[in-house]
Amino acid sequence: MMLIECPHCGPRAQEEFTYERTRDSVVQLDDAPEVAMATLYARTNPRGEENEIWRHTLGCRGWLELRRDRMSHAIVAVRALGRAVLP
């Protein structure tokens, strides 16, 4: 289990969050279909740190960007994306 430091709620268990995607898999609306397909389905799977997008589903419902190591699962940094929607 990972402990994720939510900028709005403090440290919370991974089970409260939903993994959305890695930052480099975000497709732009004006991308050509070939570019969008390559971005979504033909990406490399490198070792090391990567930026990921998560949502605090069972908490503030805010979006977060985590910088996480793929091998050790250690969270290097967390930052809020947008505003939280508190219940």
Side-chain angles (χ1 to χ4, degrees), residues 1 11 17 25 27 30-31 40 49 51 53 55 66 68 70 74 76-77 82 86:
M1 176 186 82
F17 296 84
S25 69
V27 176
D30 58 350
D31 282 349
L40 290 173
E49 295 179 2
N51 292 328
I53 299 172
R55 185 165 188 223
L66 272 65
R68 187 173 67 89
R70 289 174 165 261
V76 178
L86 299 173

Side-chain angles (χ1 to χ4, degrees), residues 1 4-5 7 9 12 19-20 27 30 38-39 47 54-55 57 63-65 69-70 76-77 82-83 86-87:
M1 176 186 82
I4 298 175
E5 181 77 31
C9 306
R12 297 290 192 262
Y19 171 80
E20 292 295 329
V27 176
D30 58 350
T39 300
R47 294 180 182 197
W54 290 67
R55 185 165 188 223
T57 312
W63 293 89
L64 311 172
E65 181 179 54
D69 187 281
R70 289 174 165 261
V76 178
R83 294 188 341 218
L86 299 173

Side-chain angles (χ1 to χ4, degrees), residues 2-57:
M2 288 191 303
L3 190 64
I4 298 175
E5 181 77 31
C6 177
H8 308 288
C9 306
R12 297 290 192 262
Q14 172 189 350
E15 288 78 20
E16 290 189 17
F17 296 84
T18 304
Y19 171 80
E20 292 295 329
R21 65 186 64 89
T22 57
R23 190 73 154 145
D24 67 347
S25 69
V26 175
V27 176
Q28 301 301 317
L29 294 176
D30 58 350
D31 282 349
E34 306 80 38
V35 173
M37 293 296 284
T39 300
L40 290 173
Y41 300 109
R43 298 180 315 111
T44 60
N45 191 13
R47 294 180 182 197
E49 295 179 2
E50 185 161 47
N51 292 328
E52 302 173 336
I53 299 172
W54 290 67
R55 185 165 188 223
H56 194 177
T57 312

